[in-house]
Structures are given as structure tokens and as C-alpha cells.
Amino acid sequence: MNQFLFETIWCIPLYGLVGAILTLPWSMGIVRRTGPRPAAYLNIFMTLLAFIHGWFVFRLTWNQEPQELIIHWLRVADVDLSLALDISSVSTGAVELVTGLSLLAQVFAVGYMEKDWGLARFFALMGFFEGAMSGLAISNSLFLSYALLEMLTLSTYLLVGFWYAQPLVVTAARDAFLTKRVGDVLLLMGVVALAALAGSLNFNDLYNWAETASLSPTVATLLGLALIAGPTGKCAQFPLHLWLDEAMEGPNPASILRNSVVVATGAYVLIKLQPILVLSPVAQKVLIVIGTITASGASLVTLAQIDIKRALSHSTSAYLGLVFIAVGMQWTNFAGVLLFTHAIAKALLFMSVGCVISTTNNQNLTEMGGLWSRMPATTAAFLVGSAGLVGLLPLGGFWAFREGIDVFWISHPWVVGVLLTVNCLTALNLTRVFRLVFLGKPQPKTRRAPEVPWLMAVPMVSLMVVTLLVPVMMLRLQILPDLSYLNIPAVVVLVLSGLTGVIVGALIPLQRTWSRPIQIPLRFLQDFLAYDFYIDRLYRLTVVFAVDCLSRLTAWFDRYIVDGAVNLVALSAIFGGEGLKYNVSGQSQFYVLTIVICLFMLVMLITKQF
């Protein structure tokens, strides 16, 4: 039985896809009498099967050597496109993280969207989402990973645009899709080039090729930049970061997965590409620059957001920016630990935020307050998620940051400064959000705000317990260090950065009406951060304006030059035909005369040339 489950690990991504297909009768409106609930139950059941299957395989692969399963998909002449799967404790652990969070998010969605007419369609898309992420977790082929990343791009577009009757939602879905497509197209160029250079797209073959490859600096740089473009878009990194903020227009259960594991899949692929990126020092430096800019900038932007979901989504970009720095400096262990702890804590935060939105029908922080006594379970979940995200003892976020600080403490102290800054600003922002939502006097929209029903409370409380047990899980996974090797000064500095953020967030004055400052510099600073450094307007004045001008120029060239030339030929044929029809008299001597005149003119023309 165990061997059968081990050999059929490729079935795990299919569970979500099968669940999505089984919900089609309800999502297409073919079955109406039962309502959409059976579609939700089918998807939850298939996700549960995927989680159980993955759990058995994870236990089989624990402390075992990684194995590779190759499925030959297409063999034509010298072309051999194979789908390679990685069977190891790391890949199966990633599958468990994806399916476990998907299971909790789907149960949460049953309560969150119980009155939504598109419940069946939503669960079909969630199954599609889960299948693509599970496949990415066990993929050991860049070709397969790229195909699954494309599935995630499509899933993001459909889920962000789920409430397509709202114009703002349609705009957000379009922007998210097009922004990701920029990175996907560049990544495709890198995949095609790498296939030609290495002869294979399986990661193991690529690693062997990278050890002996000798590329020119220009080729290595272009290849490296193309390979990091896709993860940059998927992970919402500068300059392709604006889509994640707009994606918050979608349903909150989808945001739970998007901010925890969906964006992490891009970073997961980037970690697998790290041995190839070593060929290009320029690409590694670009990773470090992108990560530093995103981590610092996104942490500042969070402080001026008044939408509760956007206040958390920007911190997702900040944490993944730290992952980019780690990959650029070839410390993938820190990147993997940070992805693990961030995913669980951020999922719990978005669950608690979803409970607040479901109860109050509101996302504006300035219209909330006093919910701690009315929603105690949600309040506790937010506190635990916040503590698990920042570097506060003894939860997972602390151990992840400690790993990074220990690595860079002596060699790259400026990276330690970035880590501490992100930790401090994140703690400050979460304290600010907690004060605005849960403390203070109740506002009109929060006076009647009971705790959420059990369908939402059970997965939230379950994930809260998991967040508290993350250090135990890290101990069992042999991630935690021996206490005798702890860098005490680094631990003290890390704890102080988190406490500084909490204290500053607790002491700064917060005006619930969020009135604009009278002083122009303060007003400009508030708008500068609230509007994400005006990057969207900068894009409109540069990239969008250039594309618009180019499209107008090409449209003019197509209409008046290309179409003009074609129309000129057509008009010449029409006028020629109209003119010649008068020469058709039916008299043979007239035809002979015409031929003789034409021959005479041709001879005269040839004679002049010679």
C-alpha cells in the first residue's frame, strides 16, 4: 500500500483538478435543485484525499534520499519533453503545506461565501488553484513548472475577477493578469534559451550542465535576467508588484492562499533555479537590489494603508523581498524557512481579517474599533498570527529571522539592517491595525458584530494552533539550531526590533477619522506612502504612455501605409479592368493591332536600355 502511494505521487495535483471538474454541473447551472453546497463538499473531500495521500508519502520520504520520477510526454526526433517529479521530504512537505492550507481555506470559504450565488464556480477555481500549486511543489522540470505557473496566472485572473459585475474588480483582474504576463513572457524566453543551451529542462540535468557550462558574460546575464523575471512577477516584486494590491478585490478565501502559498510558489521556483543563476553575477545582484527595494518600500507603504487587506498584502511583498535577497546571496536555507513560517502566519492573519470583513461588511480601518470584546476568537487569531509573523519569541517568525541574521551577521551587516527594519515596520503596522480594528470605542459598523459561525471559526482556530506549534514542527524537521550555538547579541537585537515596532505602534497617535495633516510635508508623505510612491502614475506617464504612442503610430502606419498600398493595388486593378473593358470590341484585327503596338513599345524600351 505504501509503495503504491509512493509511486502515485503524481496523482496529488490531480485531486484538485478532479474536484474542479466534478463541480461543473453546479457551476454551469445544470444542477440547481440541490443548491451549490454539494460542489463545495466535493472539492473539500478531494482536497482531504490529497492531504492524506501527501501525508503518507511525506512519512515514507522522511530521512530518505530524494528520488526522481520521469514521465516522457513527447518524443519527436531529437526532442524529448519529459515531466520530472521530485520525490523528497522537501517537495512532499511543500505539498502538505499547500493542501493543508487549501483544506482550511475551503472550509472557511463555505461559511464566508454561503450566500454567494457563485459558490460552485468559486470552488471549481479553488480546485484549479490547488492543483497547480501542488504540481509546482513536486515538479522537478522547468518545462512543467512554467506550464503550472501559467495555470496560476490564469487562476489568479479568474479568482480576482470572480465578482465580475463590479468595474473595479474587472480592472484589478486585468491588471493582475497583464502584469504577470510580462514576467511570464520573459521567463518563456529564458526557458527556450536554456533548452537550446543545456539540451534538457529537468532540474537535475540543468544542475549538471551548470557545473561545466561556459557562457559569455552577455549570454549569462540575459539568461539570468530572463529566468528571474517570472518569479519577480509571481512574487509581486518591484517593478511588477502592483498587481497584488489590486488582487485584494477578490474574495477573501482566495486571498488567504494568494498571500501565503501562491506568491510563495514563484519564490519556490526561484530557489530551484539558484544553481543556474550562479552563472550570472549580474542576475544575482539584480535579485539583491529587487529584494532590498521591495522589502524596504513595501514595509513603509503598509503604514499608510487604510484598507485592512491592503495593509497586510504589502507585507507579503516585503517578506518575499527578503527571500530574493537570500537567493541572490546563495542562502536558500534561510529562504525556505522564511517561506514556511510566513505562509502559515499570513494565512492565519487573512483568516482573522476575513472574519472581520464578513461580520462588519467593511474593509476600511477608520470605520472599525472595539471588536476585541465582541469577537474574542478572531482577536486571539490576529494576535497569534502577528506574533508568528514578526520576530517575537518563541514562534516561527523569530526562528526564521534568527536564521537570516546569523547567516549575514558578520559577512553582510547591511542585510541584517534590512531584516531588522522589515521586522520592526511589520510589527509597527500590525500593532496599528490591531488598535484600529479591535481596540477603542465601537463604531457604527462594529457595534453589532458577533463572532463568526463555526464553519469559519473552526479552520481559524485550527490554524491558530498550528501557528503556535510551528516551533515544535521546526524542531521535528531539524530546522531549529542547538541552543549552545545561538548568537546572543543577534537574538537580543532581533527581539528588540520587534518590541520597538510594537511599542511605537502602541504609542503613536491614531486619528480614526484619518484627517489629513495641515503641514504640507506631512500631507505629501502620507499620500506618497498611501499611493505606493506614485509608481502607478509613473507607469502611466512612462510605460503606458510609450505603449499608447507606439500603438497609435502602428495603427496609423497600418491604416495609411499598409492598407494604403493594398488599396492602391486594388484600385489600380479596378481602373485597369474598367479601362480595358472598352477595348473588348470582338474584332480580331483590333486585337492584332493592340498586340503589335505593345510589342513595338516593348522593343523600343529594350533598345533604349542597350
Side-chain angles (χ1 to χ4, degrees):
M1 181 63 178
N2 290 339
Q3 186 64 25
F4 173 77
L5 294 175
F6 186 85
E7 294 177 352
T8 57
I9 187 175
W10 55 271
C11 291
I12 296 179
L14 298 181
Y15 287 114
L17 298 179
V18 170
I21 294 173
L22 292 177
T23 59
L24 289 178
W26 288 271
S27 59
M28 297 175 63
I30 299 175
V31 178
R32 297 177 180 271
R33 180 169 298 181
T34 61
R37 279 281 183 114
Y41 299 149
L42 280 173
N43 272 277
I44 293 174
F45 176 70
M46 298 305 296
T47 304
L48 180 61
L49 290 180
F51 181 78
I52 295 174
H53 190 167
W55 173 253
F56 280 107
V57 176
F58 177 72
R59 296 189 63 181
L60 291 174
T61 57
W62 180 246
N63 288 331
Q64 301 295 324
E65 289 294 326
Q67 299 185 36
E68 187 178 36
L69 176 63
I70 298 179
I71 303 172
H72 295 281
W73 179 58
L74 178 63
R75 287 181 175 179
V76 178
D78 295 334
V79 178
D80 183 7
L81 294 180
S82 57
L83 307 180
L85 302 180
D86 178 29
I87 307 177
S88 63
S89 57
V90 175
S91 62
T92 54
V95 168
E96 284 300 278
L97 180 64
V98 169
T99 54
L101 292 180
S102 296
L103 179 62
L104 294 175
Q106 289 181 16
V107 175
F108 184 86
V110 175
Y112 186 89
M113 304 187 67
E114 62 176 349
K115 296 181 181 179
D116 197 294
W117 61 272
L119 180 67
R121 178 166 55 90
F122 176 79
F123 271 88
L125 296 177
M126 289 285 279
F128 196 67
F129 223 27
E130 176 200 337
M133 289 187 292
S134 301
L136 269 171
I138 61 175
S139 171
N140 203 34
S141 165
L142 184 57
F143 171 73
L144 178 59
S145 297
Y146 177 79
L148 294 172
L149 286 175
E150 291 293 313
M151 289 178 60
L152 281 180
T153 300
L154 176 60
S155 302
T156 300
Y157 171 74
L158 295 175
L159 280 170
V160 173
F162 180 76
W163 290 315
Y164 54 82
Q166 304 176 23
L168 187 59
V169 170
V170 175
T171 302
R174 179 201 62 196
D175 291 348
F177 181 78
L178 294 179
T179 303
K180 283 190 171 187
R181 290 302 301 155
V182 173
D184 291 343
V185 170
L186 294 175
L187 177 60
L188 178 60
M189 295 179 184
V191 171
V192 173
L194 199 56
L197 292 171
S200 174
L201 288 175
N202 294 343
F203 282 117
N204 290 338
D205 297 335
L206 291 176
Y207 298 157
N208 295 331
W209 168 80
E211 291 178 356
T212 58
S214 58
L215 302 177
S216 65
T218 302
V219 174
T221 299
L222 293 177
L223 178 63
L225 294 178
L227 292 177
I228 68 176
T232 298
K234 290 293 184 294
C235 298
Q237 298 295 290
F238 177 84
L240 304 177
H241 64 291
L242 296 178
W243 70 267
L244 186 60
D245 177 66
E246 297 188 10
M248 295 303 101
E249 296 295 333
N252 187 77
S255 298
I256 295 173
L257 295 180
R258 184 176 300 110
N259 285 270
S260 57
V261 288
V262 174
V263 291
T265 55
Y268 187 75
V269 173
L270 184 66
I271 292 174
K272 288 197 167 187
L273 288 172
Q274 189 271 331
I276 305 169
L277 297 176
V278 174
L279 297 174
S280 173
V282 175
Q284 291 179 300
K285 292 180 181 178
V286 170
L287 277 176
I288 296 171
V289 171
I290 289 175
T292 303
I293 293 175
T294 307
S296 305
S299 298
L300 291 171
V301 169
T302 57
L303 302 178
Q305 301 301 312
I306 61 173
D307 183 283
I308 189 171
K309 292 173 69 175
R310 284 174 167 81
L312 300 180
S313 67
H314 285 285
S315 68
T316 300
S317 297
Y319 272 69
L320 291 177
L322 300 179
V323 174
F324 269 57
I325 296 175
V327 175
M329 292 189 167
Q330 304 179 34
W331 288 102
T332 54
N333 288 337
F334 166 56
V337 173
L338 186 61
L339 285 178
F340 172 68
T341 57
H342 170 266
I344 295 177
K346 188 56 68 70
L348 179 59
L349 280 173
F350 267 89
M351 273 194 184
S352 61
V353 164
C355 293
V356 173
I357 297 173
S358 175
T359 301
T360 62
N361 293 316
N362 181 40
Q363 295 182 201
N364 193 330
L365 289 171
T366 64
E367 298 176 357
M368 297 183 184
L371 288 178
W372 70 272
S373 60
R374 292 163 171 77
M375 305 179 69
T378 303
T379 305
F382 188 91
L383 288 174
V384 172
S386 300
L389 189 63
V390 300
L392 295 179
L393 275 170
L395 299 184
F398 167 81
W399 297 107
F401 274 101
R402 185 217 62 85
E403 175 78 15
I405 291 177
D406 274 357
V407 167
F408 304 115
W409 182 258
I410 298 176
S411 60
H412 299 87
W414 68 269
V415 179
V416 175
V418 174
L419 291 172
L420 295 177
T421 301
V422 172
N423 184 49
C424 180
L425 293 178
T426 303
L428 193 158
N429 176 62
L430 291 174
T431 305
R432 176 184 72 93
V433 174
F434 177 77
R435 289 176 59 193
L436 290 172
V437 176
F438 297 101
L439 301 183
K441 296 180 180 179
Q443 301 299 308
K445 293 186 178 180
T446 59
R447 287 173 183 168
R448 296 178 178 87
E451 190 60 89
V452 293
W454 69 271
L455 278 172
M456 299 171 66
V458 168
M460 181 178 65
V461 174
S462 301
L463 190 55
M464 182 169 61
V465 174
V466 172
T467 305
L468 292 172
L469 293 177
V470 163
V472 179
M473 297 165 61
M474 296 174 71
L475 181 63
R476 295 292 300 272
L477 295 174
Q478 301 176 2
I479 298 177
L480 293 183
D482 191 341
L483 295 180
S484 59
Y485 292 99
L486 279 181
N487 186 348
I488 302 301
V491 171
V492 173
V493 171
L494 176 59
V495 173
L496 287 178
S497 68
L499 289 177
T500 301
V502 173
I503 293 172
V504 173
L507 296 179
I508 58 173
L510 294 178
Q511 297 182 359
R512 196 165 295 277
T513 56
W514 208 259
S515 59
R516 292 168 60 80
I518 299 176
Q519 297 85 356
I520 293 180
L522 293 178
R523 182 186 305 178
F524 172 78
L525 179 61
Q526 182 186 18
D527 291 343
F528 190 63
L529 295 179
Y531 291 102
D532 201 357
F533 303 106
Y534 294 108
I535 292 179
D536 58 338
R537 299 185 184 182
L538 178 63
Y539 285 168
R540 291 176 186 176
L541 295 175
T542 55
V543 178
V544 177
F545 178 76
V547 172
D548 181 64
C549 292
L550 181 61
S551 62
R552 291 178 185 272
L553 178 62
T554 54
W556 178 88
F557 184 83
D558 182 69
R559 174 175 296 182
Y560 295 104
I561 305 300
V562 178
D563 289 351
V566 174
N567 293 337
L568 179 61
V569 174
L571 289 175
S572 301
I574 292 174
F575 284 116
E578 290 292 332
L580 290 174
K581 75 178 182 181
Y582 296 106
N583 295 329
V584 183
S585 61
Q587 298 178 358
S588 59
Q589 58 270 28
F590 182 77
Y591 298 153
V592 173
L593 178 62
T594 303
I595 295 173
V596 170
I597 293 174
C598 290
L599 288 174
F600 177 76
M601 294 177 64
L602 181 61
V603 171
M604 291 294 293
L605 181 62
I606 296 174
T607 304
K608 286 184 178 181
Q609 290 181 351
F610 289 98

